[in-house]
Every structure is written in structure tokens, then in C-alpha cells.
């Protein structure tokens, strides 16, 4: 390979392939974390919903009905807190992704300017 070809290959790596791989890895990591958070939340919500449905099937008298209503109120509060926590987790993941993406873009600009000199 000639020096010109080597330099061109190196510039393509620095300007295109390297940044594309880095951004692809960053994106994949973000979506992996996001999907994990969503699956965890779905499992939690499903478990809570099924527990509430089971509680309704156990109602046999007015005392059981009273207990189910109390349990429903606690479950609604727990669900609200869980939703708030899950929303914060997704926002934090998104902010982390944006920050890392900005850092990556800055690094790529620096590398590109160095490679073209």
C-alpha cells in the first residue's frame, strides 16, 4: 500500500468509520439501558396489577371489600411513586446519552481537524 493510500485509509478511519462505530456503540448502550428500564417497569406494573386482581377475587364480605379498597389506595400511591422514579430514570438516561454524544462530537471535530492538517 502506498503512503497516499495509507493516509487516505487513516483519514477515512478517523473521519468516518471510527466516529460511526463510537456513535453506534453509544446508541446501542443507550437503547440497551432504556429497554432494560422499560422491561423492569413493565414487570413491576404487571406484578402490581395481578396482585390487585387477585385481591378482588378474594373478596367474600364487606370487611374483605374494605381491605381491597385500602390495598387499592396503597397500590395507587406505590404506582405513582414508581412512575415518578421510572420517569426520572429515563430522563437521566437520555441526559447521559446527550452528554456523551456531545463529547463524542467534540472529540470527532478535534480528530478531524488534526487529521486534515
Amino acid at each position: 500500500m502506498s503512503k497516499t493510500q495509507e493516509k487516505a485509509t487513516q483519514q477515512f478511519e478517523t473521519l468516518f468509520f471510527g466516529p460511526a462505530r463510537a456513535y453506534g456503540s453509544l446508541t446501542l448502550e443507550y437503547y440497551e439501558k432504556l429497554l432494560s428500564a422499560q422491561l423492569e417497569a413493565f414487570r413491576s406494573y404487571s406484578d402490581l396489577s395481578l396482585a390487585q386482581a387477585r385481591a378482588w377475587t378474594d373478596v367474600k364480605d364487606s370487611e374483605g371489600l374494605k381491605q381491597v379498597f385500602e390495598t387499592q389506595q396503597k397500590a395507587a400511591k406505590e404506582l405513582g411513586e414508581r412512575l415518578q422514579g421510572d420517569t426520572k430514570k429515563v430522563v437521566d438516561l437520555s441526559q447521559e446519552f446527550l452528554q456523551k454524544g456531545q463529547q463524542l462530537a467534540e472529540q470527532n471535530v478535534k480528530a478531524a481537524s488534526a487529521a486534515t492538517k
Side-chain angles (χ1 to χ4, degrees), residues 8-48:
T9 301
Q10 187 179 33
Q11 284 181 337
F12 269 105
E13 175 64 29
T14 302
L15 296 174
F16 301 109
F17 301 128
R21 274 194 304 275
Y23 185 75
S25 293
L26 178 64
T27 303
L28 184 60
E29 177 186 337
Y30 168 73
Y31 282 112
E32 183 178 15
K33 288 178 181 178
L34 182 62
L35 182 59
S36 177
Q38 289 174 333
L39 288 173
E40 182 183 322
F42 179 75
R43 183 178 308 271
S44 176
Y45 302 150
S46 297
D47 289 347
L48 183 63

Side-chain angles (χ1 to χ4, degrees), residues 1-111:
M1 199 183 275
S2 72
K3 286 193 177 219
T4 305
Q5 288 175 324
E6 284 181 29
K7 186 173 182 179
T9 301
Q10 187 179 33
Q11 284 181 337
F12 269 105
E13 175 64 29
T14 302
L15 296 174
F16 301 109
F17 301 128
R21 274 194 304 275
Y23 185 75
S25 293
L26 178 64
T27 303
L28 184 60
E29 177 186 337
Y30 168 73
Y31 282 112
E32 183 178 15
K33 288 178 181 178
L34 182 62
L35 182 59
S36 177
Q38 289 174 333
L39 288 173
E40 182 183 322
F42 179 75
R43 183 178 308 271
S44 176
Y45 302 150
S46 297
D47 289 347
L48 183 63
S49 296
L50 289 172
Q52 291 305 302
R54 283 189 193 100
W56 280 103
T57 62
D58 291 338
V59 173
K60 295 182 178 128
D61 56 16
S62 62
E63 185 60 34
L65 185 62
K66 180 182 172 188
Q67 288 177 349
V68 168
F69 280 127
E70 289 173 357
T71 304
Q72 289 282 161
Q73 290 174 343
K74 290 177 186 174
K77 182 181 178 189
E78 182 182 323
L79 180 63
E81 291 170 355
R82 176 69 194 217
L83 279 169
Q84 188 176 18
D86 290 339
T87 301
K88 183 182 180 333
K89 187 183 291 186
V90 170
V91 167
D92 290 347
L93 281 173
S94 297
Q95 287 177 342
E96 178 186 0
F97 176 72
L98 286 173
Q99 288 173 350
K100 286 182 177 180
Q102 287 174 341
Q103 290 171 351
L104 188 60
E106 289 170 5
Q107 291 170 357
N108 291 336
V109 167
K110 288 177 185 175

